[in-house]
mmCIF file of all heavy atoms in Angstrom:
data_model
loop_
_atom_site.group_PDB
_atom_site.id
_atom_site.type_symbol
_atom_site.label_atom_id
_atom_site.label_comp_id
_atom_site.label_asym_id
_atom_site.label_seq_id
_atom_site.Cartn_x
_atom_site.Cartn_y
_atom_site.Cartn_z
ATOM 1 N N ARG A 122 -5.721 11.055 -3.805
ATOM 2 C CA ARG A 122 -6.080 10.789 -2.377
ATOM 3 C C ARG A 122 -5.929 12.040 -1.542
ATOM 4 O O ARG A 122 -6.771 12.357 -0.744
ATOM 5 C CB ARG A 122 -5.271 9.608 -1.813
ATOM 6 C CG ARG A 122 -5.629 9.267 -0.442
ATOM 7 C CD ARG A 122 -4.842 8.083 0.162
ATOM 8 N NE ARG A 122 -5.055 7.988 1.530
ATOM 9 C CZ ARG A 122 -6.117 7.384 2.120
ATOM 10 N NH1 ARG A 122 -7.058 6.900 1.376
ATOM 11 N NH2 ARG A 122 -6.223 7.355 3.394
ATOM 12 N N GLN A 123 -4.777 12.698 -1.703
ATOM 13 C CA GLN A 123 -4.514 13.954 -0.978
ATOM 14 C C GLN A 123 -5.613 14.993 -1.225
ATOM 15 O O GLN A 123 -6.022 15.696 -0.294
ATOM 16 C CB GLN A 123 -3.134 14.482 -1.326
ATOM 17 C CG GLN A 123 -2.780 15.746 -0.593
ATOM 18 C CD GLN A 123 -1.381 16.210 -0.968
ATOM 19 O OE1 GLN A 123 -0.435 15.412 -0.840
ATOM 20 N NE2 GLN A 123 -1.238 17.430 -1.445
ATOM 21 N N ARG A 125 -8.611 14.344 -1.957
ATOM 22 C CA ARG A 125 -9.854 13.730 -1.560
ATOM 23 C C ARG A 125 -10.743 13.391 -2.728
ATOM 24 O O ARG A 125 -11.974 13.355 -2.643
ATOM 25 C CB ARG A 125 -10.579 14.547 -0.541
ATOM 26 C CG ARG A 125 -9.792 14.731 0.740
ATOM 27 C CD ARG A 125 -10.615 15.287 1.885
ATOM 28 N NE ARG A 125 -9.905 15.220 3.082
ATOM 29 C CZ ARG A 125 -9.447 16.312 3.756
ATOM 30 N NH1 ARG A 125 -9.641 17.529 3.284
ATOM 31 N NH2 ARG A 125 -8.769 16.166 4.830
ATOM 32 N N ARG A 151 7.715 15.182 3.864
ATOM 33 C CA ARG A 151 6.741 15.229 4.924
ATOM 34 C C ARG A 151 7.332 16.099 6.050
ATOM 35 O O ARG A 151 6.641 17.005 6.560
ATOM 36 C CB ARG A 151 6.528 13.803 5.434
ATOM 37 C CG ARG A 151 5.581 13.620 6.581
ATOM 38 C CD ARG A 151 5.597 12.191 6.978
ATOM 39 N NE ARG A 151 4.407 11.752 7.681
ATOM 40 C CZ ARG A 151 4.193 10.479 7.998
ATOM 41 N NH1 ARG A 151 5.015 9.528 7.718
ATOM 42 N NH2 ARG A 151 3.090 10.196 8.679
ATOM 43 N N MET A 156 4.334 17.704 2.246
ATOM 44 C CA MET A 156 3.438 16.605 2.060
ATOM 45 C C MET A 156 2.643 16.433 3.368
ATOM 46 O O MET A 156 3.249 16.101 4.402
ATOM 47 C CB MET A 156 4.248 15.315 1.748
ATOM 48 C CG MET A 156 5.040 15.427 0.411
ATOM 49 S SD MET A 156 6.147 14.099 0.164
ATOM 50 C CE MET A 156 7.016 14.714 -1.298
ATOM 51 N N PRO A 157 1.304 16.640 3.282
ATOM 52 C CA PRO A 157 0.506 16.629 4.514
ATOM 53 C C PRO A 157 0.514 15.295 5.208
ATOM 54 O O PRO A 157 0.542 14.225 4.592
ATOM 55 C CB PRO A 157 -0.895 16.939 3.970
ATOM 56 C CG PRO A 157 -0.739 17.391 2.597
ATOM 57 C CD PRO A 157 0.592 16.922 2.090
ATOM 58 N N GLU A 158 0.455 15.367 6.549
ATOM 59 C CA GLU A 158 0.408 14.178 7.349
ATOM 60 C C GLU A 158 -0.793 13.285 6.973
ATOM 61 O O GLU A 158 -0.668 12.078 6.937
ATOM 62 C CB GLU A 158 0.259 14.549 8.852
ATOM 63 C CG GLU A 158 1.538 15.097 9.467
ATOM 64 C CD GLU A 158 2.628 14.095 9.555
ATOM 65 O OE1 GLU A 158 2.361 12.854 9.832
ATOM 66 O OE2 GLU A 158 3.826 14.461 9.366
ATOM 67 N N SER A 159 -1.888 13.901 6.674
ATOM 68 C CA SER A 159 -3.120 13.130 6.350
ATOM 69 C C SER A 159 -2.955 12.255 5.096
ATOM 70 O O SER A 159 -3.590 11.232 5.030
ATOM 71 C CB SER A 159 -4.259 14.103 6.128
ATOM 72 O OG SER A 159 -4.042 15.005 5.096
ATOM 73 N N THR A 160 -2.097 12.684 4.181
ATOM 74 C CA THR A 160 -1.851 11.857 2.999
ATOM 75 C C THR A 160 -1.210 10.533 3.382
ATOM 76 O O THR A 160 -1.476 9.509 2.758
ATOM 77 C CB THR A 160 -0.949 12.638 2.018
ATOM 78 O OG1 THR A 160 -1.575 13.840 1.678
ATOM 79 C CG2 THR A 160 -0.708 11.791 0.747
ATOM 80 N N PHE A 161 -0.381 10.538 4.406
ATOM 81 C CA PHE A 161 0.326 9.289 4.797
ATOM 82 C C PHE A 161 -0.558 8.337 5.556
ATOM 83 O O PHE A 161 -0.151 7.188 5.741
ATOM 84 C CB PHE A 161 1.560 9.640 5.576
ATOM 85 C CG PHE A 161 2.639 10.272 4.756
ATOM 86 C CD1 PHE A 161 2.664 11.602 4.508
ATOM 87 C CD2 PHE A 161 3.619 9.467 4.163
ATOM 88 C CE1 PHE A 161 3.655 12.150 3.696
ATOM 89 C CE2 PHE A 161 4.622 10.001 3.376
ATOM 90 C CZ PHE A 161 4.630 11.367 3.120
ATOM 91 N N GLU A 162 -1.761 8.768 5.992
ATOM 92 C CA GLU A 162 -2.672 7.863 6.732
ATOM 93 C C GLU A 162 -3.096 6.669 5.924
ATOM 94 O O GLU A 162 -3.261 5.579 6.473
ATOM 95 C CB GLU A 162 -3.855 8.627 7.262
ATOM 96 C CG GLU A 162 -3.520 9.617 8.332
ATOM 97 C CD GLU A 162 -4.669 10.547 8.679
ATOM 98 O OE1 GLU A 162 -5.775 10.342 8.162
ATOM 99 O OE2 GLU A 162 -4.398 11.515 9.393
ATOM 100 N N GLY A 163 -3.228 6.779 4.640
ATOM 101 C CA GLY A 163 -3.647 5.717 3.745
ATOM 102 C C GLY A 163 -2.564 5.164 2.884
ATOM 103 O O GLY A 163 -2.835 4.428 1.927
ATOM 104 N N LEU A 164 -1.300 5.537 3.173
ATOM 105 C CA LEU A 164 -0.180 5.135 2.366
ATOM 106 C C LEU A 164 0.747 4.338 3.236
ATOM 107 O O LEU A 164 1.226 4.802 4.288
ATOM 108 C CB LEU A 164 0.568 6.432 1.887
ATOM 109 C CG LEU A 164 1.801 6.243 1.006
ATOM 110 C CD1 LEU A 164 1.492 5.491 -0.261
ATOM 111 C CD2 LEU A 164 2.405 7.593 0.691
#
Side-chain angles (χ1 to χ4, degrees):
R122 182 180 169 78
Q123 179 177 307
R125 296 192 172 111
R151 180 185 203 174
M156 299 171 188
E158 287 293 324
S159 61
T160 302
F161 288 86
E162 291 170 10
L164 180 61

